[in-house]
Amino acid sequence: MNDNREYEKQEEEALTDSAAEREEDREDIDVVHSNERDEIERFHEPIYYGGFWMRFWAYLVDLLIVSSLNGLIAGSVLAIIGLEGLTFGIYSLAGLVSALVAFGYFSIMTKIMGQTLGKLIFGLSVISVKHETLTWGDVLMREVVGRFIHRSLVITNVLYIVVGFDSRKQGIHDKFADTAVVLEPRQTRRSA
């Protein structure tokens, strides 16, 4: 009889422990959902991700700007000081300066303004998925490491297509940096 009581007591304790564990699991799930709600609520409006074509046109505008800057800096300045033909094996000084201008443009504009001029024109901005604001780590991972990977091989440029099929419209470089490109909320006009 004592054995039955001890067995029942152990079973009751096991059920109590199991119920406590389920409650902890529910709390963990609630925390995850709460964090997702906090992430979305910090923008005070629904988030609309920038799609493939909007980002494509913004990128073309940025390429025009970077090409112009490279023409001025790498072309004109290096020609004036007589270093346009300087090479280091297979690398040229003009190529190095062009790469620095491109990576610098994308990194500095994204960190300071949250968008490049192309994204500004099309109403897009870059946000961090994990942080309140973009950190230099986010920006360098996205704009330098991510873009380098995309440009390293011809086939890696095709990876931009991922943006069209991803639920958050993130490219590979966005996933590396935990960033997303979103449409900026439009200002509503108030009637007088």
Side-chain angles (χ1 to χ4, degrees):
M1 191 101 165
N2 282 340
D3 287 339
N4 280 343
R5 285 185 188 160
E6 278 185 43
Y7 178 74
E8 288 174 3
K9 187 177 179 180
Q10 288 175 350
E11 260 190 45
E12 188 176 303
E13 287 174 4
L15 287 173
T16 304
D17 289 344
S18 177
E21 287 175 6
R22 282 194 305 270
E23 186 61 33
E24 286 176 11
D25 289 344
R26 278 191 215 112
E27 287 173 5
D28 289 342
I29 290 169
D30 287 343
V31 167
V32 169
H33 290 302
S34 172
N35 289 341
E36 289 173 0
R37 279 193 301 271
D38 290 345
E39 179 183 316
I40 292 170
E41 287 173 2
R42 75 177 174 180
F43 296 103
H44 306 290
E45 291 188 23
I47 294 176
Y48 298 103
Y49 297 106
F52 176 82
W53 289 109
M54 291 287 285
R55 292 175 67 171
F56 174 77
W57 295 116
Y59 185 63
L60 286 182
V61 169
D62 287 329
L63 287 181
L64 287 172
I65 293 167
V66 168
S67 296
S68 299
L69 289 172
N70 279 330
L72 287 171
I73 296 170
S76 302
V77 174
L78 290 178
I80 290 171
I81 59 177
L83 296 176
E84 75 275 1
L86 185 61
T87 60
F88 309 100
I90 61 170
Y91 303 105
S92 69
L93 181 60
L96 177 64
V97 170
S98 295
L100 289 174
V101 167
F103 289 125
Y105 167 79
F106 283 103
S107 299
I108 292 169
M109 292 295 291
T110 301
K111 174 59 179 147
I112 292 173
M113 295 179 57
Q115 59 195 164
T116 59
L117 293 175
K119 285 182 179 71
L120 177 69
I121 291 169
F122 287 92
L124 300 168
S125 63
V126 179
I127 61 166
S128 174
V129 174
K130 292 191 175 188
H131 306 108
E132 187 71 26
T133 58
L134 285 170
T135 64
W136 275 109
D138 296 335
V139 171
L140 292 176
M141 183 61 78
R142 180 183 198 278
E143 300 298 344
V144 177
V145 175
R147 288 193 189 279
F148 180 78
I149 290 169
H150 276 299
R151 291 181 176 194
S152 60
L153 299 171
V154 174
I155 192 71
T156 55
N157 284 319
V158 176
L159 294 177
Y160 275 112
I161 292 175
V162 170
V163 172
F165 301 100
D166 187 72
S167 63
R168 284 185 167 176
K169 305 296 183 194
Q170 289 177 300
I172 302 298
H173 58 300
D174 288 313
K175 290 185 183 294
F176 285 148
D178 290 324
T179 59
V181 176
V182 296
L183 294 172
E184 291 183 323
R186 294 186 181 199
Q187 301 288 332
T188 56
R189 294 184 183 172
R190 293 187 179 167
S191 308

